[in-house]
Amino acid sequence: MAVSDRITRWRYRYVPDHLLGEILTKRWVDNAIPLLILLAVALVFGSLIPDFFGPASISSLMRQWGEFALIVLALMIVMVAGGIDLSVGSTFALGNIVALALLNVAEWPVAAVIVGTLACGAAVGLVNGLLVGYLRLRAFLTTLVTLIIVRAVVDMLLLKYSVAIAAAFVDSDFWYYLGEGYVLGLPFSVVVAAIVAIVAHLVLTRSRAGWHVLATGGSRRSAHNVGISVRRVICATYVVSGTLSALAGLLFASRLGGAGADTGVGLEIAALTAAVLGGNSLGGGRGSAAKAIMGSIIVMIMVNGLVRLGITRGGSSLLLGIILLAAVAIDVRWLKNRHKLLSKVYVSPTYAELPPAPATEGESPYALNDRLRPVEAIGLNRIDGPEDVILDEDDNIYAGNRTGDIVRFHAPDYSRQEVFAHVGGRPLGMAFARDGSLLCCIGGMGLYRITRDRKIEKLTDETNRSWFSVIDDSRLRLADDLDIAPDGRVFFSEATIRYEMHEWPVDCLESRGNGRIICFNPSTGVTRTVLKNLLFPNGICMTLDGQSFLFAETWACRVSRYWFDGPKQRQVETVIADLPGYPDNINRASDGSYWLALVGMRTPALDLALKMPGFRKRMARRIAPDEWMYPNINTGCVLRFDETGRIIETLWDLGGENHPMITSMREHKGYLYIGGILNNRVGRLKLAGVDAGWTGQRSYWGRA
Amino acid sequence: MQVFAGLSQERIVFGLALLLCILFAVALPGFLTADNILNLVRSVSILGILGVAMGLVVIGRGIDLSLVSLMAVSVAWTLSLIGRDMPLAEALAIGLVFSLFIGAVNGWLVGYVEVPAIFATLAMGTLVYGFGRYFLFDLDVVYMPDSALQILWLGQGKLFGIPVPIFVFAVVCLVGYLFLRYARSGRYLRAIGDNLLAARVAGVPARPIIVLQYVLSSLIGYIAGIVTAGSVASMNTRLAISTYVYDVILVVVLGGIGLSGGKGNIRNVIVGTLLIGVLLNGMTIMDIQYTVQNVIKGIILLTAIMIDTILNPRDEQTAQQGDI
């Protein structure tokens, strides 16, 4: 190996390029930017202002923050549902004056004051909700107008009651506790805000109501189409928002006990800045309590810091305006371009060297021939993409198709067909269990069982999650082929964990080893990954010793053997290291050897490209997917090999007329049945000189 | 529906304005005097000029909430520059350039960065006010220096016995009408307001036109600001954070320029201005408290938006994510 090749290989083995793309797919990456801003702001103001985070300063800062955070949370809930509520500032002021008026002028008990104030806020929210939710007015303008109206009402109340409020004295410890008390060393308002934040978080992430809110914000029309009452959801968010704003006003009232004309003026701008800066999107669908909290802390620190630095009100509204504009601009551009960035960096090819391809002519065991020419077609044009074929004891053929059915062709002439079971997904590899039920790997769904009386049961659709994997690899994305050990354990391959089924060629371009082999144990119901980092593991076939299985790695052009039991437990041995094409399914033959399908043949250009990860990366970034280099799957063959890796025979279709593309084959009673994932037929070939009574099931499960 | 076939919103509003006029004339002594009527039209003409600015933007499916704020700050800057002995023309030029620059930034944010218009301009309004308070002037009210008395004529002067602001309003309306009717960019503007994607596909340079619409609105806003300054010999910068800009929106929406864009004309602004002018003037004569006036205006604006939503329902197919 040349030095430069070695360097390239080391570089791609030890630098995890794929992590960047995987991190970008995570939702929590949205929180990273606000968190960085938060740290930066805290650092800057902490160093500019002496004692900014001292005990006295932090206590008053936190108490104010509790009220502010409630308002930001209120705004966040409305924004997540796709709306906006600018009236929060006025509702805050209304909550303040109403609480004071009820307490001082009407002389209600404190509990009743709380209820009355919250009801007042909820009423304002309800008006907004009815207008925006049910009458479908524009949220922005509507809440701007309610802002003005509520503000005018507050001014009117002020004129009427401010003198009485200032003159009265409240004789209630509980009231002062709201504004000045501590819970476990934390100011009361902070505790309230924390509780509201936790509840909001749980509701948004864990409850049906919260999911409805997120769905409505994500896509209003789709939410309506799936039966969510969009109008009610939107209305409800405004009611919640109004209530929370009034609660903040109440806390403010109990802290300061006075009403001024400028209470809550401009608060909506600060709250909006906080919400957007935290990463809650305008237009909805993206937002969380954590984002609201982060945004509120940032804005709180900045506004207070500016005041402490002696900068006047003009300066702070200038700064808020600039930050708001910048945050919104970043938000809009990030949302718009995130998927572009993702598609550019997600594909991360690595160094993959294949051994030299053996010849397919002359004395080579792979030499071309025309032995597949006499294949007869079953179900021609009546089946779309039988990836795998299997036959039961009564000689009926089963094959999956592209639309998620398992189709049965009835023996003996196979002219009659029916849908055996509609399972959905993309049925791929199949195997019969001891009791005659059909186990099937379904791309996009997992491992399923169809019993003899056609009952469809899910066996498993998840496995143990890797500790250090960034993407969630517990879900099965592309279960591919399976076989069943004598004790009933099911071993099945998952071709790739980084791509969906239709993106399989991209996995080849990457050649990273994203696949794995998983074991499902029906007696315990536990699913565990047994082998990881395989290059598109595909076919799986138990060997005759009952302790190991053979598996094919498509992009590695390799067949290996894994012992799951016995003295060589957990060992992997390569059986065939250098296939001339891409192996697919493996199945047992009647004489103790194995059939292997090659789905396509290697090409020198792609083989070379696999050693040039930089080249493939540039290709993936710069040109359209249609123009990328893909593995050739236009022609392939069937071959037979034994456990030592010796190739016994190879079957080709030279003209490419009957079966150019093969993903699977089964020997059954002297015939070979052939499936292909892009074919429109099942092939049947009469084999010469084989046991005409042999069936895979009987030989394996040993029943008559 | 046949009965209502001939009734456009414009006509209804015009009818309402007349009705209010008659009502006030009967009920309020001193409403129908020549003095009051001239005063009414004069005071309302500034609102009308701003209405034309807002109308142009709304027709292009935008909205400019920084209009009043920008007007107040740029004119106050001009006045304070004159107060520091800068020649009148130079100070006017600086204020104008500042105004146009902010307008262009608004347009850039909306057109190129694709920030929702309502959001960009709201934040810009706050920003501009903060900028003014921090860098340009210390007092809320900037008074007109003696050296700028020419401006007074624009606000308080009379031509043929009719106050000059009315003429300014008329000229702005005329130019706005001609722009929308005959200028290529004016027609583009309406096309963009009607259907941005279709206009873009048809080859309209959508983004430059969006920038143009905000530059135009800031230009007209500056003119309105100069007239305002002329009529009261000062500029109150608290106007920037008042609810005045919603009066302007009220004019536009009431007049019948749909907020979803593409609809309406300068005529609608004039009609809306009349109605709001009569209303405001009437309420002032009736000595209704300022806060109560705000509630009344707010409710009228809400009703107008409601009717607008019902008449011009939002198209869910073309409404974009984030179009709030």
Side-chain angles (χ1 to χ4, degrees):
Chain A
M1 188 186 283
V3 176
S4 63
D5 273 4
R6 185 159 298 164
I7 293 171
T8 320
R9 200 176 65 162
W10 280 45
R11 171 245 161 284
Y12 280 97
R13 179 173 297 172
Y14 293 109
V15 180
D17 308 66
H18 60 296
L19 289 185
L20 178 62
E22 291 183 1
I23 287 171
L24 279 179
T25 61
K26 301 304 259 188
R27 284 180 77 92
W28 49 254
V29 76
D30 285 346
N31 289 357
I33 301 167
L35 188 66
L36 286 179
I37 298 175
L38 172 59
L39 291 178
V41 167
L43 216 67
V44 166
F45 282 104
S47 60
L48 274 182
I49 303 165
D51 214 26
F52 188 63
F53 293 110
S57 163
I58 199 111
S59 168
S60 87
L61 203 61
M62 278 175 81
R63 202 174 280 280
Q64 289 176 49
W65 172 81
E67 293 152 15
F68 184 60
L70 281 176
I71 293 184
V72 179
L73 282 167
L75 192 57
M76 180 274 292
I77 289 167
V78 174
M79 280 171 67
V80 161
I84 200 159
D85 189 357
L86 295 177
S87 66
V88 285
S90 294
T91 314
F92 171 81
L94 184 72
N96 178 43
I97 184 87
V98 165
L100 289 173
L102 288 180
L103 191 75
N104 293 315
V105 182
E107 293 185 346
W108 287 17
V110 175
V113 168
I114 294 174
V115 173
T117 310
L118 295 189
C120 198
V124 175
L126 186 65
V127 171
N128 279 328
L130 289 176
L131 291 174
V132 179
Y134 284 95
L135 289 176
R136 302 207 297 161
L137 264 55
R138 286 161 184 274
F140 207 112
L141 271 181
T142 309
T143 54
L144 260 180
V145 178
T146 43
L147 178 157
I148 298 166
I149 296 178
V150 173
R151 168 64 56 191
V153 170
V154 169
D155 288 343
M156 281 152 69
L157 289 174
L158 266 176
L159 281 180
K160 212 164 172 185
Y161 295 117
S162 59
V163 178
I165 288 169
F169 174 74
V170 184
D171 185 22
S172 160
D173 287 340
F174 182 52
W175 176 250
Y176 292 112
Y177 179 75
L178 292 182
E180 292 158 14
Y182 289 86
V183 182
L184 301 173
L186 288 173
F188 186 76
S189 69
V190 172
V191 175
V192 172
I195 290 171
V196 170
I198 290 168
V199 170
H201 174 76
L202 290 178
V203 167
L204 279 180
T205 56
R206 303 282 192 280
S207 81
R208 183 183 300 249
W211 291 359
H212 283 185
V213 170
L214 283 168
T216 304
S219 170
R220 209 185 145 109
R221 204 166 357 136
S222 308
H224 172 75
N225 289 344
V226 297
I228 295 172
S229 170
V230 169
R231 296 180 178 198
R232 200 174 62 210
V233 167
I234 291 180
C235 181
T237 59
Y238 283 96
V239 174
V240 171
S241 156
T243 314
L244 287 181
S245 304
L247 176 62
L250 179 94
L251 291 172
F252 182 81
S254 67
R255 177 160 63 92
L256 295 184
D262 56 354
T263 307
V265 170
L267 194 60
E268 61 282 342
I269 297 281
L272 202 54
T273 310
V276 176
L277 207 54
N280 300 293
S281 278
L282 283 176
R286 202 176 61 116
S288 68
K291 291 185 172 116
I293 295 292
M294 276 194 292
S296 62
I297 297 176
I298 298 172
V299 169
M300 202 72 216
I301 291 179
M302 279 196 304
V303 171
N304 273 281
L306 287 178
V307 172
R308 296 272 286 274
L309 284 173
I311 289 168
T312 56
R313 177 140 184 266
S316 76
S317 71
L318 171 66
L319 193 76
L320 272 183
I322 290 175
I323 291 171
L324 182 53
L325 274 181
V328 176
I330 291 170
D331 177 60
V332 169
R333 301 314 293 183
W334 168 249
L335 272 191
K336 189 176 174 187
N337 293 316
R338 178 184 175 174
H339 71 279
K340 283 189 204 161
L341 178 69
L342 188 58
S343 70
K344 275 201 191 309
V345 301
Y346 192 76
V347 179
S348 65
T350 188
Y351 183 89
E353 189 178 17
L354 293 176
T360 52
E361 55 208 1
E363 294 302 304
S364 159
Y366 302 109
L368 297 174
N369 56 49
D370 217 2
R371 291 178 58 190
L372 285 184
R373 178 55 60 85
V375 164
E376 49 185 310
I378 293 169
L380 185 65
N381 287 331
R382 288 188 297 153
I383 181 149
D384 185 4
E387 202 267 350
D388 198 6
V389 288
I390 196 163
L391 292 94
D392 66 10
E393 286 297 292
D394 303 323
D395 305 337
N396 300 317
I397 300 177
Y398 297 81
N401 73 5
R402 207 160 58 86
T403 47
D405 306 316
I406 292 176
V407 176
R408 173 155 72 176
F409 291 94
H410 289 278
D413 57 352
Y414 304 120
S415 59
R416 201 157 59 84
Q417 74 179 77
E418 62 170 343
V419 173
F420 176 62
H422 179 74
V423 289
R426 180 64 172 99
L428 297 171
M430 293 181 286
F432 276 111
R434 192 187 288 274
D435 64 356
S437 58
L438 182 65
L439 269 61
C440 185
C441 277
I442 300 177
M445 289 168 70
L447 182 65
Y448 281 72
R449 171 164 64 195
I450 299 113
T451 59
R452 277 169 173 271
D453 49 358
R454 301 190 182 190
K455 216 167 84 203
I456 301 168
E457 295 164 349
K458 182 186 85 180
L459 292 186
T460 180
D461 62 357
E462 59 184 327
T463 177
N464 54 314
R465 194 193 190 295
S466 309
W467 283 100
F468 297 109
S469 159
V470 176
I471 50 173
D472 183 359
D473 61 355
S474 60
R475 285 276 149 187
L476 301 184
R477 285 195 183 208
L478 183 46
D480 200 326
D481 192 23
L482 77 151
D483 208 352
I484 306 166
D487 61 0
R489 274 183 291 172
V490 182
F491 289 90
F492 61 99
S493 57
E494 189 184 20
T496 173
I497 57 169
R498 269 171 60 81
Y499 293 97
E500 300 298 333
M501 169 122 192
H502 65 276
E503 296 168 313
W504 60 266
V506 187
D507 193 70
C508 172
L509 196 68
E510 198 166 84
S511 281
R512 180 168 284 281
N514 300 319
R516 54 188 174 172
I517 288 173
I518 299 164
C519 171
F520 168 71
N521 190 338
S523 57
T524 58
V526 172
T527 312
R528 280 283 172 275
T529 306
V530 295
L531 275 175
K532 285 207 284 195
N533 302 330
L534 304 177
L535 279 160
F536 213 81
N538 206 324
I540 283 199
C541 180
M542 290 292 154
T543 54
L544 299 173
D545 61 5
Q547 297 181 338
S548 63
F549 58 79
L550 298 167
F551 65 93
E553 285 174 88
T554 302
W555 309 137
C557 302
R558 182 166 65 197
V559 175
S560 311
R561 183 174 184 175
Y562 174 76
W563 276 268
F564 53 87
D565 267 339
K568 294 174 94 171
Q569 194 177 8
R570 297 212 184 121
Q571 286 187 26
V572 177
E573 254 177 33
T574 302
V575 178
I576 309 174
D578 58 340
L579 286 162
Y582 302 109
D584 207 302
N585 286 358
I586 311 173
N587 284 310
R588 286 175 293 278
S590 55
D591 62 350
S593 60
Y594 301 91
W595 293 105
L596 172 68
L598 293 191
V599 65
M601 302 310 290
R602 286 162 61 180
T603 50
L606 187 57
D607 284 3
L608 182 62
L610 288 180
K611 290 201 278 183
M612 301 161 72
F615 162 70
R616 280 179 287 144
K617 186 182 281 180
R618 286 195 296 282
M619 178 165 72
R621 281 185 194 177
R622 293 190 194 162
I623 60 177
D626 286 358
E627 316 279 342
W628 293 355
M629 288 177 81
Y630 288 127
N632 149 42
I633 53 167
N634 290 330
T635 186
C637 63
V638 176
L639 50 86
R640 199 151 63 85
F641 66 98
D642 64 16
E643 281 178 13
T644 65
R646 186 174 62 92
I647 308 298
I648 300 167
E649 61 176 334
T650 309
L651 283 65
W652 290 93
D653 178 16
L654 257 190
E657 284 169 21
N658 269 340
H659 258 89
M661 193 267 173
I662 298 165
T663 52
S664 174
M665 70 275 107
R666 295 270 176 189
E667 188 180 337
H668 187 84
K669 292 189 177 169
Y671 284 92
L672 193 65
Y673 294 84
I674 302 170
I677 195 165
L678 300 180
N679 284 353
N680 59 351
R681 69 195 81 184
V682 173
R684 181 161 83 150
L685 177 72
K686 176 93 180 106
L687 295 171
V690 298
D691 177 1
W694 187 89
T695 70
Q697 286 200 76
R698 203 178 307 146
S699 75
Y700 190 70
W701 297 115
R703 280 192 309 150
Chain B
M1 289 307 286
Q2 277 296 317
V3 186
F4 298 106
L7 285 179
S8 64
Q9 188 179 349
E10 188 188 327
R11 287 187 191 177
I12 298 172
V13 170
F14 188 65
L16 271 179
L18 282 183
L19 199 71
L20 263 183
C21 250
I22 296 166
L23 258 173
F24 283 150
V26 174
L28 298 177
F31 180 81
L32 204 64
T33 58
D35 249 13
N36 186 46
I37 291 297
L38 271 186
N39 189 34
L40 189 160
V41 180
R42 190 180 67 85
S43 69
V44 129
S45 57
I46 292 166
L47 194 61
I49 298 171
L50 288 171
V52 172
M54 185 68 83
L56 285 179
V57 180
V58 171
I59 288 172
R61 204 191 280 184
I63 197 160
D64 190 356
L65 296 180
S66 65
L67 184 60
V68 170
S69 179
L70 180 58
M71 165 190 107
V73 170
S74 56
V75 171
W77 193 14
T78 306
L79 294 186
S80 69
L81 282 179
I82 299 171
R84 276 177 238 144
D85 298 330
M86 186 179 274
L88 182 63
E90 209 172 305
L92 280 175
I94 287 178
L96 182 63
V97 167
F98 172 73
S99 185
L100 294 183
F101 170 73
I102 297 293
V105 173
N106 271 336
W108 175 74
L109 284 171
V110 176
Y112 287 86
V113 187
E114 297 176 8
V115 178
I118 201 158
F119 205 94
T121 53
L122 181 75
M124 187 57 82
T126 311
L127 195 157
V128 164
Y129 174 69
F131 177 79
R133 282 309 303 268
Y134 193 65
F135 290 109
L136 304 181
F137 33 79
D138 304 320
L139 296 170
D140 277 343
V141 182
V142 179
Y143 290 100
M144 179 150 324
D146 294 336
S147 55
L149 291 177
Q150 291 102 312
I151 295 178
L152 281 183
W153 179 78
L154 272 178
Q156 300 173 351
K158 285 193 176 180
L159 206 62
F160 315 120
I162 294 169
V164 176
I166 297 174
F167 283 103
V168 179
F169 180 33
V171 170
V172 169
C173 281
L174 184 67
V175 173
Y177 169 75
L178 293 176
F179 170 75
L180 278 177
R181 179 75 179 80
Y182 293 106
R184 177 178 306 189
S185 40
R187 294 180 162 212
Y188 282 171
L189 188 129
R190 188 185 292 279
I192 288 170
D194 200 32
N195 189 335
L196 174 67
L197 294 178
R200 184 178 279 174
V201 168
V204 172
R207 289 175 158 174
I209 294 291
I210 290 175
V211 174
L212 176 74
Q213 95 195 26
Y214 289 95
V215 169
L216 277 181
S217 95
S218 66
L219 169 70
I220 300 173
Y222 189 72
I223 296 172
I226 294 294
V227 175
T228 311
S231 60
V232 290
S234 67
M235 175 52 82
N236 185 351
T237 57
R238 288 196 74 82
L239 212 55
I241 48 172
S242 71
T243 56
Y244 192 50
V245 73
Y246 306 112
D247 292 358
V248 180
I249 294 177
L250 192 55
V251 163
V252 169
V253 177
L254 273 188
I257 299 183
L259 282 172
S260 47
K263 297 190 181 72
N265 216 321
I266 300 297
R267 271 206 320 268
N268 302 71
V269 177
I270 301 173
V271 170
T273 311
L274 271 183
L275 179 62
I276 294 305
V278 172
L279 196 73
L280 290 183
N281 188 273
M283 287 199 295
T284 308
I285 294 179
M286 281 191 285
D287 196 21
I288 292 177
Q289 208 185 6
Y290 177 68
T291 52
V292 180
Q293 283 197 21
N294 265 343
V295 174
I296 294 173
K297 279 191 295 188
I299 289 168
I300 294 174
L301 183 50
L302 261 190
T303 318
I305 297 175
M306 236 186 291
I307 293 170
D308 177 61
T309 311
I310 293 164
L311 288 181
N312 310 311
R314 292 176 64 191
D315 187 348
E316 299 270 350
Q317 305 292 330
T318 57
Q320 286 175 340
Q321 179 84 351
D323 178 20
I324 45 182

